Amino acid sequence: MDTLIEGYRRFRADGWSAHRDRLKTLADEGQRPTAMIIACSDSRADPAMVFDTAPGELFVVRNVANLVPPYQPDGGYHGVSAALEFGVKVLQVPNLIVMGHAHCGGVNAMIHGAPDIVKDFVAPWVAMARPALDAARASGVADEDLQAACEHETVKVSLANLRTFPWIAEREADGRLRLHGLRFAIADGVLERLGDDGAFSAV
């Protein structure tokens, strides 16, 4: 905590003053982010850093392996779905992005099985992405490329699940909302984008 508090003090002395007017406007007028991002919780793949954004520009949801569950309004606790409902219906974001990343531990757990110490929540959560592993293997990818292929396919699984939400599908169909798939390579900083042909390429 001492390190974090020192970081806050630097922010208060320098960063906050640089954003002071913007933050006051955001406090007074509310947020109007131009994009909502579903990203991984991994500490190495921060969307605000990757996109060099200012406060108020991104509405971000982060979880293990940047997963989106299918539409299931059953009265249970659905953190990702609740954030989607708020971002899409209330904030009316025009862009909805799923951003995966290289060396994803959640994807690795989906491929090889979650460790026994995280069977309560992580194991069933990453199992949601099992179709990604099936698709990667069906493509004939080499074993050494399986992790990266599954990271790409996991983004596609989340995009497919997003389209099961009727109010997302409706907005995408009429042009109010655009869906995007990305993958960030931590080691070299390259961002890949999913094209209409189903392939990822560097932007």
Side-chain angles (χ1 to χ4, degrees), residues 76-99:
Y77 300 117
H78 298 283
V80 175
S81 300
L84 284 166
E85 189 173 48
F86 187 81
V88 171
K89 288 187 169 184
V90 178
L91 298 179
Q92 300 182 48
V93 293
N95 294 287
L96 183 50
I97 301 162
V98 177
M99 188 181 86

Side-chain angles (χ1 to χ4, degrees), residues 33 56-57 59 64 77 93 111 125 129 140 143 147 150 156 163 171 180 184-185 203:
E57 292 184 30
F59 188 65
V64 174
Y77 300 117
V93 293
I111 297 170
W125 178 257
D143 288 346
Q147 172 82 21
C150 284
K156 295 178 186 178
R163 292 183 171 107
R171 285 165 173 79
H180 312 270
F184 175 65
V203 299

Side-chain angles (χ1 to χ4, degrees), residues 113-191:
D116 288 339
I117 57 172
V118 291
K119 293 293 188 186
D120 289 350
F121 299 104
V122 173
W125 178 257
V126 298
M128 189 193 326
R130 181 64 191 232
L133 177 58
D134 296 337
R137 284 182 170 156
S139 72
V141 67
D143 288 346
E144 61 267 24
D145 298 322
L146 183 61
Q147 172 82 21
C150 284
E151 289 160 358
H152 289 137
E153 293 296 334
T154 296
V155 170
K156 295 178 186 178
V157 168
S158 286
L159 287 169
N161 285 346
L162 282 172
R163 292 183 171 107
T164 67
F165 289 72
W167 27 269
I168 289 177
E170 176 187 334
R171 285 165 173 79
E172 184 182 28
D174 66 23
R176 285 178 289 167
L177 180 65
R178 295 185 63 196
L179 272 58
H180 312 270
L182 303 171
R183 175 180 174 270
F184 175 65
I186 295 169
D188 58 18
V190 172
L191 186 69

